Amino acid sequence: MAPRANWKGFLRLSLVTCPVALYPATSESEKISFNQLNRQTGHRINYIKVDADTGDEVPNEDIVKGYELEKGQFIEVTKEELEEIALESTRTIEIDEFVDKTDIDPRYLIRPYYLRPDGKVGHDAFAVIRETIREMNKVAIGRVVLTNREHIVALEAMDKGLVGTLLRYPYEVRSEQEYFDEIQDVKVTKDMLDLAKHIVNQKAGNFDPEKFEDHYESALVELINQKRAGKVIRRKERPKGENIVDLMDALRKSVGGAAAEAAAQKKPAKKSKKASAGQKEMLMPIAGEKQAKETKAKRPVATKSQRRSA
């Protein structure tokens, strides 16, 4: 089942308008997550909202928003007052301008969404906007309100739909000078640069997300399977970092290592399974299943829905 739309409204380019729906393009729900438990009882921990001074629990209908002017002094803002300042972009993505993709600093990128026509009408207008963006090889910049805040959104053509990426405002991006000013000005010699370039050429390839595996997620699956089977978990030796004494020597050794790695990568390798499908399969009954069942009888394993709720 397709996820529910995060937002529904209209996409507008001048006088061309069509109803659209916005869907999240990424998901974290397939990852393993944990609940917090009481070590003594094994029961889940629940959180309640309490008054900071009295300690009394506060029902949801009595909770309002407030902006802290100074320590302990708040200005209360009601839901009705927030609705009064609702922007036009609450219901409409108005395309303000078209820019080159290379103009967008990657630090401003937040997260992607899929945009498609909503319902049976408006497909013609949507196609006109989509194909104009595609043919002009541009990114359309507009505004949209999500979770009560207005965001800048960059729209690009993808297949039959559009990908909208939320962008940060300038005040949300920290200046690089804060962090880079103290970096020493180092003169890199031609020999060092040539060796480093040689390593890059040996490692050159094409970006393919299917080649990447979430090693931490795989380690979590292995850990859970081992605990289900009642196995003792032993600590692994961790590699220790070494200080580089001779940079040229390290570069020369790296060239040899990169060559061996490149040769190994030429051999056909099995593709890693996607986490969404692979995780379910990897968490199926494993060797030592009888022992795992006995362990499970003593200590229940969290269900997928429970993991998601953590």
Side-chain angles (χ1 to χ4, degrees), residues 195 197-204 254-262 265:
L195 282 170
K197 287 180 179 179
H198 190 61
I199 295 170
V200 171
N201 288 330
Q202 288 177 321
K203 289 178 171 287
S254 296
V255 168
E261 184 180 333
Q265 287 179 348

Side-chain angles (χ1 to χ4, degrees), residues 32 213-225 272-273 275 279 282:
I32 289 177
E213 178 188 351
D214 187 338
H215 294 101
Y216 183 72
E217 186 76 2
S218 299
L220 282 177
V221 170
E222 182 182 357
L223 173 64
I224 291 171
N225 280 335
S272 60
K273 298 175 182 176
Q279 183 190 107
M282 292 167 76

Side-chain angles (χ1 to χ4, degrees), residues 118-144:
D118 184 32
K120 297 181 180 179
V121 299
H123 285 251
D124 290 345
F126 183 87
V128 168
I129 296 173
R130 180 197 65 215
E131 291 309 305
T132 301
I133 294 172
R134 194 195 309 275
E135 290 295 320
M136 298 294 290
N137 196 26
K138 295 285 188 179
V139 176
I141 304 296
R143 288 157 289 131
V144 63

